[in-house]
Amino acid sequence: MPDDELIGSALQDALRAVSRRPALYEVAAAVNQMVRSAVDLVPGADAGGISVESPGAGGAHGSTSGTAADLDALQHRHDEGPCLSALHGPPPERSVVVAQDLAGRDRGRWPQFASSAVEVGFSAVLALQLPAVAGIGAALNLYGRTADGFGPGDLILADTFVGHLAHLLFGGSAAGHSRRPTEALEEVELRRRLGGPALEP
């Protein structure tokens, strides 16, 4: 597992950037930097992005690559995908969605998205809901090229970024975010070992 100092440094760099110059473009840059840090530090992740949804609007933000942005946008366009499932799930029970094998056992859950993701080389997705603020929802989406590549340690590392991303996107309104109960992590691991979906959409 990456050293705690690396995680702390990545988070602090992003937070310092937005504190120095809190203009909108600087917030976007800080979000991008934090998503890149999450991808770098979560072993199963090869790309990432943020999905945001609000009444009458929604789309991809803070993606690490054009392909990740396209996959985020595709889910909004087809109204299906693990990231939207995480976005729409009420916390804490359904705020994490793991798709471990989009070419196999998870394909039927989101057929249009799964087909497109596999076509561009991604087999797994880990999506974590960010705390909602004033009717706006968001999720951190991590994409992996290897089927069954996300383990419980990846989930814990990814969750480290959730509160900070919410703070960058929504400001002080998200400051009251509390970490998910350990029961949610245990359920993800149990279902992973049983070979089923981590959480139902």
Side-chain angles (χ1 to χ4, degrees), residues 30-149:
V31 170
N32 283 337
Q33 178 180 337
M34 192 163 288
V35 174
R36 284 195 300 270
S37 295
V39 170
D40 289 342
L41 291 170
V42 175
D46 297 296
I50 298 286
S51 287
V52 176
E53 187 172 69
S54 60
H61 301 267
S63 300
T64 60
S65 68
T67 300
D70 289 344
L71 290 174
D72 285 349
L74 181 73
Q75 296 181 73
H76 288 276
R77 192 158 59 246
H78 291 303
D79 196 28
E80 66 162 42
C83 309
L84 285 186
S85 294
L87 260 175
H88 296 158
E93 291 85 359
R94 299 179 65 192
S95 57
V96 176
V97 175
V98 184
Q100 292 280 30
D101 187 4
L102 292 171
R105 64 183 181 276
D106 291 311
R107 186 181 187 90
R109 299 169 71 189
W110 313 282
Q112 295 182 90
F113 168 76
S115 177
S116 297
V118 170
E119 186 176 333
V120 295
F122 290 98
S123 297
V125 182
L126 172 58
L128 299 93
Q129 185 186 57
L130 274 62
V133 174
I136 302 174
L140 169 63
N141 315 314
L142 300 177
Y143 298 97
R145 296 190 179 277
T146 304
D148 295 302

